[in-house]
């Protein structure tokens, strides 16, 4: 190709760019021609290098052969081999060679411009999204994790959260100490790990979020996805309130004297008694009629919450907490607004730093006096407690809470995995064990955090001269009452308070934005052509965050604590999670087919997992879910606050509406889909129970073919449906 042809190609490319609809067929043809010409030029150069110049006409042009082969043959003539050539003849041969080098540079520059300016992604698009895909009606390419570590840390940050620190240790001591580990591990290996592995694999297999993945697996059970998105939407509204409280305590910790250590503040009452004076039992037991209170409790209820008398008295908005809530939502937004590109990098800090803080607190707690008594109280087994069904209910609900399953978040994170990984066997083995290792990390964190918490509680009980049962708390009581009270008795209380609330903030923050990412991914996948275009996804995320923030303002009022507990007790309760987990396992094992699902797993990772998962999905997990679900309803106790305030009937009814809002999605979607489908009932039922093909574009882009398409094609190959243009400079 000479200078004229190269300039013509560049001029045509400029004219095409000016058109509103790009002619991608022309661009692909041009790129293919350019690549062919470069290969021909390189081959001709290799043939010409070992030869001496034998033609007076000079080297042939690459473009001449294709443009006018007849004329080229007419100009070709044999020339006798010469032993020597004059300098004039050598210069005559060198001139065309220099012209050919200039033409090659022009071609390279043309290809660079074509690749950089034409094939670059649109603003706001993922790096893999190409404009011709949109022009030809193909779905946008899905983002993928930059590395395996991004996925592992994101999952670890998602399910290693506040429940590991403040809920598991309390449940362990309350339900028989070491004996509680028996039902805990039964639910772990029979329900937690199988469902967690199931959700991650479904996302990876379909390359879809928490809603649309069930449209591909079993359209009749698409309500599972809608139930999950309702639960996680409600959870995102109230879970972040805990982070706002932690942020407020963190700001208050930057003082020489912690504000909850003394009784000389404006919010304190005459009944306030400092915790350091409570060691004198004779002083406060003899005056028990005076009803002394701790400065930590008064700071929490009178200064932070400004607690009203009930849920029917919401009171004024707490602007300091509202600003803390706004700050946490802004941090959460900027952690996820670029999708997995930003989430995968943020978790390198948010998912690892809390473990370092927990280790520091563990070492500090073990060196305090009274730590041994606290650990003994934490682990001392009481086998008789296993006869109480409530122990088994607590074990099951703790597993489902701590593993963040049935929320759609794990499915969304798994959907960003590549369909196929490296074909080397050892890499495949390592990838398949990711879920198992993450499960061990989650449960191990819960177990170790119990040593850190109860060693400090043992120290606090010894300092006050009371039993450990009197100081043991769970949930917000542990984070904002028991532990702040303990740090006031330590040397350097300000340092340990800052360290604890930073750890608490980061533990909750990565869980929060992973769950929000799961919510956003599930909703975006419903309308990918609209929400993945330009900056629509970022605007949609901002809208979701704003709506959630406004709804969360109801929990930072003077009566907000009552609203928070109502959401916590009903909206994302164990009953809702058990309901969703049962239908997930039933749909995979008995409708889609556990053997078919194992075939899909084998197609992705190269081998079939052991039969343990399959048996759990088919029998063990559904039975555990049904049993725990029934006992939860039988042992149901109406909600109270602090074991004193009883919620009114209308509030209890509102709480059950929150719980049923997710549970009703499964049967409701079944009825709607059956009503929308035409034909006899059995035909409609069979059609809705038939799985759909996974995201073919996402799979074929990686050079693989999904298992379901192989069944449909009887193991025959299919012609590629698209052409991928790749240029390497």
């Amino acid at each position: 190709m000479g200078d004229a042809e190269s300039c013509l190609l560049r001029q045509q490319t400029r004219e095409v760019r000016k058109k509103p609809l790009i002619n991608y067929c022309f661009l692909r043809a041009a790129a293919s021609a350019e690549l062919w010409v470069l290969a021909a030029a390189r081959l001709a150069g290799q043939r010409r290098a070992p030869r001496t110049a034998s033609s007076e006409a000079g080297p042939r042009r690459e473009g001449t052969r294709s443009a006018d082969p007849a004329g080229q043959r007419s100009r070709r003539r044999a020339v006798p081999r010469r032993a020597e050539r004059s300098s004039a003849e050598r210069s005559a041969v060198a001139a065309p060679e220099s012209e050919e080098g200039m033409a090659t540079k022009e071609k390279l520059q043309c290809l660079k411009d074509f690749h950089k300016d034409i094939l670059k992604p649109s603003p706001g698009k993922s790096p893999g999204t190409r404009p011709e895909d949109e022009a030809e009606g193909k779905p946008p390419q899905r983002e993928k994790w930059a590395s395996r570590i991004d996925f592992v840390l994101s999952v670890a940050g998602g399910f290693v959260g506040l429940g590991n620190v403040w809920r598991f240790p309390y449940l362990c001591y309350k339900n028989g100490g070491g004996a509680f580990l028996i039902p805990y591990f039964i639910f772990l290996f029979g329900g937690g790990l199988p469902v967690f592995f199931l959700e991650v694999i479904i996302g990876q297999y379909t390359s879809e979020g928490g809603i649309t993945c069930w449209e591909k697996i079993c359209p009749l059970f698409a309500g599972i996805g809608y139930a999950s998105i309702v639960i996680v939407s409600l959870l995102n509204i109230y879970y972040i309130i805990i982070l706002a409280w932690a942020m407020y305590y963190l700001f208050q910790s930057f003082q020489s004297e912690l504000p909850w250590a003394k009784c000389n503040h404006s919010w304190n009452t005459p009944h306030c008694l400092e915790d350091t004076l409570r060691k004198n039992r004779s002083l406060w037991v003899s005056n028990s009629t005076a009803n002394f209170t701790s400065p930590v409790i008064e700071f929490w209820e009178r200064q932070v919450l400004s607690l009203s008398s009930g849920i029917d008295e919401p009171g004024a908005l707490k602007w300091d907490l509202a600003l803390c809530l706004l700050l946490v939502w802004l941090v959460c937004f900027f952690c996820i607004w670029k999708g997995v590109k930003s989430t995968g990098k943020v978790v390198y800090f948010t998912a690892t730093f809390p473990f370092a803080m927990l280790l520091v607190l563990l070492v500090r707690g073990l060196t305090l006096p009274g730590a041994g008594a606290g650990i003994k109280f934490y682990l001392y087994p009481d086998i008789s407690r296993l006869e109480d069904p409530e122990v088994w209910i607590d074990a099951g609900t703790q597993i489902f809470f701590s593993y963040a399953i049935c929320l759609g978040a794990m499915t969304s994170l798994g959907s960003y995995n590549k369909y196929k990984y490296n074909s080397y066997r050892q890499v495949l083995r390592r990838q398949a064990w990711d879920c198992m290792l993450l499960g061990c990390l989650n449960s191990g964190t819960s177990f170790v955090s119990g040593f850190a918490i109860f060693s400090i509680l043992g120290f606090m009980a010894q300092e006050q001269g009371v039993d450990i049962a009197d100081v043991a708390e769970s949930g917000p009581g542990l984070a904002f009452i028991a532990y702040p009270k303990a740090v006031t008795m330590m040397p350097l209380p300000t340092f340990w308070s800052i360290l604890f609330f930073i750890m608490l903030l980061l533990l909750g923050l990565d869980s929060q934005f992973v769950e929000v990412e799961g919510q956003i991914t599930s909703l975006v996948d419903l309308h990918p052509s609209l929400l993945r275009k330009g900056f629509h996804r970022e605007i949609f995320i901002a809208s979701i965050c704003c709506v959630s923030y406004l709804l969360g303002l109801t929990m930072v009022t003077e009566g907000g604590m009552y609203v928070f507990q109502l959401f916590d007790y009903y909206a994302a309760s164990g009953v809702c999670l058990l309901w969703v987990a049962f239908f997930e396992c039933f749909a995979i094992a008995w409708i889609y087919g556990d053997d078919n699902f194992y075939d899909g797993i084998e197609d992705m990772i190269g081998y079939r997992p052991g039969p343990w998962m399959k048996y759990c999905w088919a029998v063990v997990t559904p039975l555990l879910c049904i049993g725990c679900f029934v006992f939860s309803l039988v042992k149901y106790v109406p909600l109270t606050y602090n074991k004193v305030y009883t919620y009114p009937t209308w509030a209890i009814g509102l709480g059950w509406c929150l719980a049923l809002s997710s549970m009703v999605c499964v049967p409701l979607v079944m009825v709607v889909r059956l009503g929308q489908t035409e034909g006899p009932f059995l035909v409609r039922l069979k059609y809705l129970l038939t799985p759909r093909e996974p995201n073919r574009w996402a799979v074929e882009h990686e050079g693989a073919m999904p298992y379901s398409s192989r069944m449909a094609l009887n193991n025959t190959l299919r012609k590629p449906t698209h052409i991928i243009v790749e240029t390497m400079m």
Side-chain angles (χ1 to χ4, degrees):
M1 182 181 290
D3 294 340
E5 295 175 354
S6 178
C7 292
L8 178 61
L9 179 60
R10 297 179 68 180
Q11 180 63 29
Q12 289 175 333
T13 304
R14 293 192 189 97
E15 292 176 357
V16 169
R17 291 177 191 167
K18 297 177 182 178
K19 296 181 180 181
L21 181 62
I22 301 177
N23 188 352
Y24 290 103
C25 297
F26 161 74
L27 293 179
R28 284 199 298 270
S32 301
E34 285 288 280
L35 292 174
W36 184 88
V37 169
L38 285 177
R42 181 176 299 176
L43 181 61
Q46 293 175 353
R47 291 179 178 176
R48 187 170 55 248
R51 297 178 53 188
T52 57
S54 59
S55 176
E56 294 180 356
R60 291 173 295 178
R61 301 280 177 85
E62 298 86 354
T64 309
R65 182 175 179 180
S66 60
D68 189 9
Q72 183 182 19
R73 288 194 296 268
S74 65
R75 290 193 298 270
R76 187 181 304 164
R77 59 189 180 89
V79 179
R81 189 181 301 273
R82 297 181 181 178
E84 297 179 356
R85 304 187 68 172
S86 63
S87 60
E89 291 173 336
R90 292 176 181 174
S91 62
V93 174
E97 291 179 352
S98 63
E99 293 178 1
E100 182 179 350
M102 295 296 294
T104 302
K105 292 181 179 179
E106 289 288 336
K107 287 180 284 186
L108 289 174
Q109 185 62 41
C110 178
L111 279 176
K112 287 180 180 179
D113 294 341
F114 172 78
H115 181 75
K116 178 180 178 181
D117 298 333
I118 300 300
L119 293 184
K120 68 180 181 181
S122 305
K125 292 285 183 179
S126 63
T129 303
R130 304 185 307 161
E132 67 256 42
D133 298 333
E134 304 170 29
E136 296 178 4
K138 296 175 182 176
Q141 298 183 33
R142 192 179 189 81
E143 295 177 292
K144 299 296 180 182
W145 296 109
S147 67
R148 169 175 169 263
I149 300 297
D150 291 359
F151 166 71
V152 172
L153 290 180
S154 297
V155 174
F159 62 33
V160 178
L162 299 175
N164 300 78
V165 176
W166 73 18
R167 196 167 187 267
F168 175 83
Y170 175 78
L171 291 179
C172 190
Y173 115 83
K174 171 190 170 185
N175 294 306
F180 178 72
L181 298 180
I182 296 176
Y184 179 83
F185 281 112
I186 290 176
F187 275 94
L188 172 63
F189 291 103
L193 288 179
V195 176
F196 167 64
F197 182 68
L198 172 69
E199 293 190 353
V200 173
I201 289 298
I202 287 178
Q204 179 176 331
Y205 181 60
T206 60
S207 291
E208 298 286 350
I211 298 177
T212 49
C213 71
W214 292 103
E215 298 278 1
K216 302 293 180 66
I217 295 294
C218 185
L220 186 64
F221 285 85
I224 297 173
Y226 289 98
S228 299
I229 206 65
V230 170
I231 295 174
V232 77
S233 300
L234 296 174
L235 180 65
N236 291 336
I237 293 174
Y238 80 85
Y239 186 85
I240 200 170
I241 302 298
I242 304 171
L243 306 184
W245 295 335
M247 182 75 72
Y248 181 84
Y249 268 82
L250 179 61
F251 289 150
Q252 294 292 328
S253 298
F254 288 95
Q255 301 181 31
S256 58
E257 182 180 83
L258 296 177
W260 56 82
K262 302 292 183 181
C263 292
N264 54 357
H265 299 283
S266 59
W267 58 81
N268 292 126
T269 65
H271 302 293
C272 179
L273 179 65
E274 297 177 9
D275 295 299
T276 54
L277 301 177
R278 289 174 173 253
K279 192 171 184 180
N280 187 352
R281 291 179 67 99
S282 60
L283 174 64
W284 59 272
V285 170
S286 61
N287 295 282
S288 57
T289 55
N291 193 19
F292 286 112
T293 57
S294 169
V296 179
I297 297 177
E298 291 193 351
F299 177 79
W300 167 244
E301 294 184 350
R302 297 175 60 85
Q303 172 63 15
V304 179
L305 301 178
S306 298
L307 199 62
S308 65
S309 59
I311 192 173
D312 48 357
E313 296 182 11
L317 182 68
K318 296 280 297 181
W319 287 103
D320 45 4
L321 291 180
L323 292 177
C324 291
L325 181 62
L326 177 62
L327 179 60
V328 178
W329 267 117
L330 288 176
V331 173
C332 181
F333 169 75
F334 285 109
C335 285
I336 65 171
W337 77 307
K338 285 298 183 183
V340 295
K341 291 188 297 181
S342 58
T343 305
K345 299 301 177 286
V346 172
V347 292
Y348 276 82
F349 174 73
T350 59
T352 56
F353 188 74
F355 289 102
M357 297 296 99
L358 184 61
L359 181 61
V360 172
L361 292 173
L362 173 63
V363 173
R364 177 54 182 161
L366 294 177
T367 58
L368 292 172
I375 294 175
K376 181 181 178 181
F377 188 80
Y378 167 51
L379 294 178
Y380 186 79
D382 183 6
I383 303 298
S384 62
R385 291 285 295 145
L386 297 180
E387 300 175 358
D388 188 357
E390 188 176 351
V391 175
W392 297 81
I393 295 173
D394 287 342
T397 54
Q398 172 61 21
I399 287 293
F400 284 89
F401 273 123
S402 61
Y403 277 80
I405 51 181
C406 306
L407 301 176
M410 296 299 109
T411 304
S412 298
L413 295 182
S415 69
Y416 293 116
N417 279 335
K418 295 179 181 178
Y419 184 83
K420 280 186 177 289
Y421 286 94
N422 195 321
S423 59
Y424 290 102
R425 188 174 181 83
Q426 61 269 26
V427 176
L428 290 172
R429 292 285 184 184
R430 188 174 60 201
Q431 282 289 347
W433 279 100
D434 279 350
C435 292
M436 301 298 104
L437 293 177
L438 286 167
C440 295
L441 175 66
N442 185 12
S443 298
T445 303
S446 300
F447 187 68
V448 172
S449 63
F451 287 91
I453 297 301
F454 272 86
S455 62
I456 295 173
L457 293 180
F459 161 74
M460 185 171 65
Q462 179 175 309
E463 288 295 307
Q464 294 184 3
V466 298
D467 293 333
I468 300 178
D470 296 332
V471 297
E473 295 281 353
S474 174
L478 174 65
F480 303 111
I481 296 178
Y483 198 90
K485 184 187 298 184
V487 298
T488 59
M489 305 176 186
M490 297 181 187
L492 302 175
T494 299
F495 171 76
W496 294 112
S497 178
I498 293 173
L499 201 65
F500 174 76
F501 286 111
I502 288 178
M503 181 196 72
L504 204 67
L505 195 60
L506 293 179
L507 275 176
L509 183 62
D510 52 5
S511 297
Q512 175 71 19
F513 69 69
V514 165
E515 289 162 1
V516 175
E517 175 65 36
Q519 176 190 10
I520 296 298
T521 299
S522 300
L523 295 176
V524 168
D525 284 346
L526 287 174
H527 306 284
S529 59
L530 173 64
L531 296 177
R532 288 184 189 164
K533 184 180 298 182
F535 291 98
H536 293 186
R537 188 180 190 275
E538 287 81 355
I539 297 174
F540 181 68
I541 295 175
S543 303
I544 293 293
C545 292
C546 288
V547 173
S548 300
Y549 170 73
L550 294 176
L551 293 175
L553 290 178
T554 59
M555 304 180 196
V556 292
T557 60
E558 293 179 352
M561 186 62 181
Y562 303 106
V563 181
F564 171 84
Q565 279 214 325
L566 193 68
F567 271 73
D568 185 44
Y569 197 78
Y570 291 101
S573 63
V575 173
C576 303
L577 301 180
L578 293 168
W579 175 270
V580 175
F582 170 80
F583 281 103
E584 284 184 356
C585 295
F586 179 80
I588 290 296
W590 297 101
I591 305 300
Y592 186 84
D594 47 12
D595 287 328
N596 292 334
F597 197 64
Y598 259 47
D599 292 336
I601 297 175
E602 182 182 9
D603 187 61
M604 289 188 293
I605 68 177
Y607 66 96
R608 298 172 73 88
W612 162 57
M613 291 286 185
K614 182 168 62 175
Y615 296 151
C616 288
W617 297 334
V619 180
V620 179
T621 305
L623 288 180
L624 290 176
C625 291
I626 292 175
C628 197
F629 181 85
V630 172
F631 276 114
S632 297
L633 296 180
V634 171
K635 293 288 185 177
Y636 167 74
V637 177
L639 176 63
T640 60
Y641 175 74
N642 207 16
K643 299 180 181 179
V644 176
Y645 174 75
T646 301
Y647 279 74
T649 305
W650 66 266
I652 299 296
L654 178 60
W656 276 110
C657 289
L658 294 175
L660 294 175
S661 63
S662 58
M663 298 170 63
V664 76
C665 290
V666 179
L668 182 62
V669 172
M670 289 182 181
V671 174
V672 172
R673 292 297 166 85
L674 287 171
Q676 292 177 343
T677 308
E678 298 180 354
F681 177 78
L682 292 180
V683 174
R684 288 181 288 166
L685 185 63
K686 184 178 180 180
Y687 172 76
L688 292 174
L689 292 177
T690 303
R692 307 294 185 259
E693 258 191 343
N695 190 340
R696 170 166 294 278
W697 168 245
V699 175
E700 291 183 350
H701 180 64
E702 301 177 25
M705 184 169 290
Y707 175 78
S708 60
S709 64
R710 289 179 179 172
M711 289 192 300
L713 295 174
N714 296 322
N715 294 326
T716 58
L717 297 179
R718 173 180 286 189
K719 182 180 179 181
T721 57
H722 60 278
I723 300 175
I724 298 178
V725 179
E726 292 186 359
T727 57
M728 296 181 61
M729 295 295 102

